[in-house]
Amino acid sequence: MTSHQWGRVDDDGTVYVTTAEGERSVGQYPEGSPEEALKFFTERYDALAFEVELLEKRVASGVMSPEEATASVRTVREQVTTANAVGDLPALIARLDGMEPLLEQQREARKVERAQRAAEARAGKEKIVAEAEILAEGSDWRHGANRMRDLLDEWKALPRIDRSSDDALWRRFSTARTAYTRRRKAHFSEQHEKRDAARSVKERLATEAESLATSTDWGGTAGRYRDLMREWKAAGPAPRDVDEALWKRFRGAQDTFFGARDAAAAEQDVEFAANAEVKEALLLEAEKLVPVTDLDAAKRAFRDIADRWDAAGKVPRDRMKDLEARIRKIETEIRGVEDEQWKRSDPEKSARADDMVSKLEDAIAKVEADLEKARAAGNAKKIKDLEDNLESRQSFLEMAKRASADFSG
């Protein structure tokens, strides 16, 4: 019999391994020597030990999930427990059992991680739902649909949370998307109707604009074109494929009319140039009337100039403002002098001034009579008082006479 620390080989070639429960047979090796038999079964043990060591490293590195690692430990443990090998099988079992605390830590860590991921997923989905509900109430039809699609992609990228919460949030999200889509379709349907109505209006406006393009009623037609433009703007946009074409028709008709009007005006400006020269000469004549020294003569002369001014006729458009401003300035100065003279000759004020002169003359006559009596009586004090009184009233009388003269012209 050949023995080993963890087993032996019986004389008939049966190999035994020693365990905590005692010996058990692991097999026979009849064709070789006992040493070869032990070597064969110890190598089996070494292979198990290597597998246990490899499992320890994988568990420690965390490359396996705790569930996968637990299943692997269970499988290897069964292999070790029933292994037909010679070696310290209890030690391998102990090493396998020793992985359980680490696996428990990993399970707890994974649990915390899953809870965190679930919380993040819940927060993410709640944020998506909140934004979708805001979009559903808004009217951002241009970007809202794209954003809704982005939110759906974001939702799909998040993991599921507990079923009831996930279903409730999804219902809110789906309801918001449906409401937005329904309102968006209604909006564009309404816009389509408005654009069709605008097309009818603009077709009518373009047709009328074209009918006016050859008109020579410059003032009336220009006014009608302004009305048509206001109606055009109020009509709103027509369908894109026809709006531009209608605008080209409308604008082309306008350009034709106003081009013809400008050409006619340019021809008239040439004809009116001689009129401007006449008015220039009249202005030189009128400007000699100011400053006004003789109002009546200035008024007569200006009326004659004004009559000739009107008879001279129209002037080129670019001269109208300047020429009219110069003749109006002269007219204003003459009227200013006339107004000032009228103020001075205001009948009511003139009457008040004349009345003041009359009253002062009466008062002075009375003072002079009293002064003669005082002189005759030789009353020196009374003479002095009456002389002072007389001097004061005569001073007031001079001022009153000047005012009366101003008001009487």
Side-chain angles (χ1 to χ4, degrees):
M1 180 182 71
T2 301
S3 63
H4 181 272
Q5 181 183 1
W6 297 105
R8 63 184 181 84
V9 180
D10 208 348
D11 292 338
D12 60 0
T14 301
V15 182
Y16 296 89
V17 64
T18 303
T19 66
E21 291 78 20
E23 285 187 337
R24 66 175 176 83
S25 170
V26 295
Q28 286 187 325
Y29 198 84
E31 297 181 357
S33 64
E35 289 76 11
E36 289 175 336
L38 284 173
K39 185 176 183 300
F40 175 76
F41 285 100
T42 55
E43 285 178 350
R44 281 189 173 184
Y45 173 83
D46 291 340
L48 285 173
F50 176 76
E51 190 169 350
V52 170
E53 180 181 0
L54 182 61
L55 184 57
E56 286 175 327
K57 290 179 179 179
R58 296 184 68 192
V59 169
S61 67
V63 297
M64 305 171 66
S65 69
E67 294 74 18
E68 292 173 332
T70 299
S72 295
V73 168
R74 185 183 305 112
T75 299
V76 175
R77 197 176 193 285
E78 291 174 357
Q79 292 174 353
V80 172
T81 302
T82 60
N84 292 323
V86 175
D88 192 355
L89 295 177
L92 294 182
I93 295 295
R95 287 169 65 183
L96 290 168
D97 291 343
M99 295 181 202
E100 181 56 31
L102 178 57
L103 289 172
E104 183 59 30
Q105 291 178 8
Q106 292 178 350
R107 279 191 287 270
E108 286 301 318
R110 288 293 181 94
K111 184 177 179 181
V112 171
E113 185 181 344
R114 283 195 299 271
Q116 183 177 351
R117 284 201 304 270
E120 291 174 352
R122 177 189 294 273
K125 290 187 174 184
E126 288 175 346
K127 183 179 179 181
I128 289 170
V129 170
E131 184 176 350
E133 289 174 338
I134 292 174
L135 282 174
E137 294 297 323
S139 56
D140 185 0
W141 313 121
R142 182 182 298 275
H143 303 104
N146 291 335
R147 185 55 187 155
M148 277 291 190
R149 284 191 289 271
D150 292 342
L151 290 176
L152 179 59
D153 291 339
E154 291 176 24
W155 178 283
K156 292 177 179 179
L158 292 173
R160 285 182 62 86
I161 54 179
D162 64 277
R163 182 171 188 143
S164 61
S165 298
D166 205 85
D167 289 347
L169 287 171
W170 172 255
R171 281 194 296 272
R172 287 176 57 193
F173 181 45
S174 180
T175 299
R177 290 173 63 227
T178 300
Y180 175 81
T181 301
R182 185 180 297 116
R183 291 181 60 240
R184 184 172 182 268
K185 287 181 178 179
H187 166 76
F188 283 112
S189 176
E190 182 182 352
Q191 289 295 102
H192 182 71
E193 291 177 3
K194 287 181 178 179
R195 284 187 169 89
D196 279 346
R199 173 170 54 188
S200 298
V201 171
K202 288 186 173 181
E203 285 175 346
R204 174 180 59 79
L205 295 175
T207 299
E208 183 175 351
E210 288 168 338
S211 71
L212 295 173
T214 56
S215 171
T216 56
D217 178 12
W218 308 124
T221 305
R224 182 53 187 159
Y225 269 120
R226 285 192 293 272
D227 294 339
L228 294 178
M229 178 60 78
R230 281 194 292 270
E231 292 181 45
W232 182 281
K233 291 179 179 178
R240 188 174 301 175
D241 57 339
V242 299
D243 200 58
E244 185 175 352
L246 288 172
W247 171 248
K248 285 181 178 178
R249 287 176 56 194
F250 183 81
R251 189 65 180 177
Q254 275 190 323
D255 290 345
T256 298
F257 169 78
F258 286 108
R261 187 192 69 170
D262 292 344
E267 291 180 7
Q268 286 185 337
D269 284 348
V270 173
E271 297 175 9
F272 295 159
N275 299 343
E277 292 180 6
V278 172
K279 290 191 174 183
E280 282 279 6
L282 290 172
L283 277 171
L284 293 176
E285 185 179 341
E287 286 169 347
K288 293 177 181 179
L289 299 176
V290 293
V292 177
T293 56
D294 184 337
L295 178 60
D296 289 337
K299 288 169 61 178
R300 286 194 300 274
F302 187 79
R303 279 196 294 272
D304 178 62
I305 292 171
D307 290 340
R308 285 183 285 156
W309 181 279
D310 292 338
K314 296 181 179 180
V315 299
R317 288 173 299 171
D318 60 347
R319 300 296 311 281
M320 288 176 58
K321 186 175 181 181
D322 173 59
L323 293 173
E324 288 296 328
R326 288 171 63 187
I327 195 69
R328 293 285 81 81
K329 181 179 179 182
I330 298 167
E331 182 183 21
T332 300
E333 290 193 34
I334 295 173
R335 283 185 177 177
V337 173
E338 183 179 23
D339 291 344
E340 183 63 30
Q341 190 173 97
W342 184 88
K343 290 177 183 177
R344 290 201 304 269
S345 62
D346 185 334
E348 184 178 346
K349 292 180 180 179
S350 178
R352 286 200 301 269
D354 291 344
D355 184 57
M356 177 64 73
V357 169
S358 177
K359 287 180 178 179
L360 283 169
E361 287 176 341
D362 291 344
I364 287 172
K366 184 177 182 304
V367 172
E368 286 176 339
D370 290 342
L371 179 58
E372 288 298 323
K373 291 179 182 178
R375 284 173 177 167
N379 189 337
K381 183 178 183 305
K382 192 169 184 179
I383 290 171
K384 178 70 170 60
D385 290 342
L386 289 171
E387 285 177 343
D388 290 343
N389 189 314
L390 182 60
E391 183 181 356
S392 175
R393 287 180 185 272
Q394 286 175 335
S395 176
F396 277 118
L397 178 60
E398 289 300 321
M399 289 189 290
K401 284 182 177 180
R402 286 196 298 271
S404 177
D406 288 339
F407 286 124
S408 64

